Amino acid sequence: MNTSTDAPARTGMVLILSGPSGSGKSTIYKAAIGDLGGIEFSVSCTTRQPRPGEIDGRDYYFISHEKFNALVAEHAFAEHAEVHGNCYGTLKSELLDRVRRGIDVLLDIDVQGAAQLRALCADSSEFCEACEFIFIMPPSFEELERRLRARGTETEESILRRLANAKGEMEHANEYDHIIVNDDLDRAVREFTELILGLRNHPKRRRIV
Ligand code: ADP
Ligand code: 5GP
């Protein structure tokens, strides 16, 4: 029996957030995460170059292709994929320890990575019960393009590649447990926040006794 007074009441969730580039994933979770508390962001490894303002170890671990391949060979990733021409991966070390300590972990990953984690659910009931798959949908393709351009972080080549991939990614939305349409930002943040609060109280969450 756990007698510690500050012990978590439940195990943490693995919140898997996907959606096309520019759909608003990072805007939504950055707005929600502070109020929610108890959530930590899973920092992914990537071979892409940092954007202005991005910090190594906070936004991503920016690593070389050689280092990425070495981590793949060591089986250090829970999932990894090539997305828009760069490699991305979630380190196993970002996940289970936190979940067991009652911390919710938020992953911003693409549909291929989410499919790999869904497959892992078949092998582990502990992991399966922790996972919630959430898709952020833009209100329209035109608005997605407008937001991606207005963000001003991508070259024209990168914008076109991200838009070309967006349609295929949106076709996977119905594989997710929850879909949030990011039309009005305040409304979408509220929906996301309420979803997380509701999921924390769901009876399927494992209690720590
Ligand atoms: P993602 O993380 O999915 O790639 P971002 O969070 O970077 O997308 O959002 C893309 C751009 O769209 C950003 O410039 C952001 O400020 C803007 N944005 C996000 N949500 C909305 C919204 N509901 N209405 C208008 N602009 C938005
Ligand atoms: P960006 O380059 O805009 O930061 O991210 C591009 C895409 O890569 C987004 O769809 C994002 O969700 C995805 N991504 C970021 N980290 C990971 C990861 O660790 N694994 C996978 N599979 N995709 C990731």
Side-chain angles (χ1 to χ4, degrees):
M1 192 166 112
N2 192 337
T3 52
S4 163
T5 49
D6 56 4
R10 59 166 179 86
T11 53
M13 298 186 283
V14 177
L15 301 165
I16 296 138
L17 204 60
S18 301
S21 181
S23 59
K25 301 179 294 295
S26 52
T27 307
I28 291 173
Y29 68 69
K30 282 176 186 166
I33 216 165
D35 284 347
L36 278 165
I39 297 192
E40 291 181 9
F41 182 63
S42 161
V43 180
S44 293
C45 294
T46 184
T47 60
R48 117 160 133 62
Q49 291 300 307
R51 294 176 184 139
E54 283 185 328
I55 295 175
D56 186 43
R58 184 194 69 182
D59 299 290
Y60 280 106
Y61 299 112
F62 294 99
I63 61 174
S64 65
H65 278 280
E66 290 69 31
K67 175 75 181 164
F68 194 93
N69 291 336
L71 289 169
V72 172
E74 287 166 24
H75 304 286
F77 290 124
E79 63 74 35
H80 64 93
E82 188 181 323
V83 191
H84 315 313
N86 296 299
C87 298
Y88 297 84
T90 304
L91 292 166
K92 289 178 186 168
S93 57
E94 295 282 308
L95 303 182
L96 274 183
D97 175 55
R98 284 168 167 161
V99 167
R100 288 178 179 146
R101 286 187 289 128
I103 297 166
D104 298 327
V105 192
L106 190 130
L107 282 64
D108 175 344
I109 65 172
D110 88 314
V111 294
Q112 304 172 78
Q116 291 174 35
L117 295 185
R118 220 173 270 120
L120 280 185
C121 285
D123 300 334
S124 161
S125 62
E126 181 191 7
F127 187 66
C128 182
E129 285 173 27
C131 285
E132 293 290 342
F133 293 84
I134 306 166
F135 195 89
I136 304 295
M137 186 70 102
S140 69
F141 190 74
E142 292 68 29
E143 175 62 10
L144 179 69
E145 176 167 5
R146 194 197 65 72
R147 288 183 191 170
L148 208 44
R149 290 188 181 283
R151 191 170 70 182
T153 55
E154 309 301 314
T155 61
E156 183 62 18
E157 184 194 358
S158 171
I159 289 174
L160 294 178
R161 192 194 281 239
R162 283 162 191 259
L163 289 173
N165 290 336
K167 284 190 173 140
E169 290 168 329
M170 287 192 270
E171 283 168 11
H172 290 275
N174 60 5
E175 295 162 11
Y176 286 69
D177 302 318
H178 317 276
I179 300 177
I180 295 176
V181 178
N182 180 18
D183 39 18
D184 177 71
L185 182 60
D186 289 346
R187 196 207 53 74
V189 170
R190 211 165 42 246
E191 191 177 334
F192 179 79
T193 304
E194 283 167 7
L195 173 65
I196 305 305
L197 291 174
L199 289 170
R200 281 178 173 169
N201 290 320
H202 194 282
K204 83 168 179 178
R205 301 268 86 89
R206 280 184 189 221
R207 302 284 151 188
I208 297 175
V209 288

